[in-house]
Amino acid sequence: MSIDMAQFHQVFFEESFEGLDIMETGLLQMQPGEADSEEINSIFRAAHSIKGGAGTFGFMEVSNFTHVMETLLDEMRDGRRDVTAEAMDALLKSVDVLRDMLTASQDGNDLDMQRVGEQKAVLEAILAN
């Protein structure tokens, strides 16, 4: 007996879009400087959940993109990286890209891999500094 994982996709997408709302709201409330630990933890947990669920259901592009966001958030969360306006702007734009990726995945449409790659490169450039 095998389980059809597709039956769980709708719950994954609903929870992911809720997570994106948490991420966006949190990022908009943050100010450059030292991270508010409660806020950054909330944003990190939302990204972590999306990444894990995407990997579980085989949405590897979503998982890989979210992993880069999660890495940046983790560094800000544990104080290895300051919360900068540049990082917050990149993360907010990444939330928009991720929302489009999830919508395309949910609808069975192709992802805009050029846009995904460009935004991922922005995040990776921040991580490289």
Side-chain angles (χ1 to χ4, degrees), residues 31-123:
Q31 298 295 320
E34 193 170 320
D36 174 293
S37 63
E38 187 174 321
E39 197 68 63
I40 197 77
N41 280 326
S42 177
I43 297 165
F44 175 85
R45 282 191 308 273
H48 184 73
S49 294
I50 293 169
K51 181 193 80 170
T56 298
F57 294 115
F59 301 110
M60 297 316 295
E61 293 90 353
V62 173
S63 181
N64 293 337
F65 182 80
T66 309
H67 176 71
V68 180
M69 295 175 69
E70 181 188 46
T71 301
L72 179 56
L73 289 163
D74 190 40
E75 289 185 6
M76 293 188 320
R77 182 173 75 140
D78 68 13
R80 287 181 285 156
R81 179 174 303 276
D82 289 334
V83 176
T84 64
E86 176 190 26
M88 289 174 21
D89 183 55
L91 287 165
L92 277 168
K93 288 178 182 172
S94 296
V95 167
D96 291 339
V97 171
L98 187 53
R99 182 175 281 115
D100 289 346
M101 292 176 77
L102 287 165
T103 299
S105 296
Q106 183 177 34
D107 296 343
N109 295 329
D110 291 337
L111 303 180
D112 182 349
M113 291 310 294
Q114 179 176 341
R115 182 173 179 227
V116 171
E118 289 170 357
Q119 189 60 34
K120 188 175 178 184
V122 169
L123 293 170

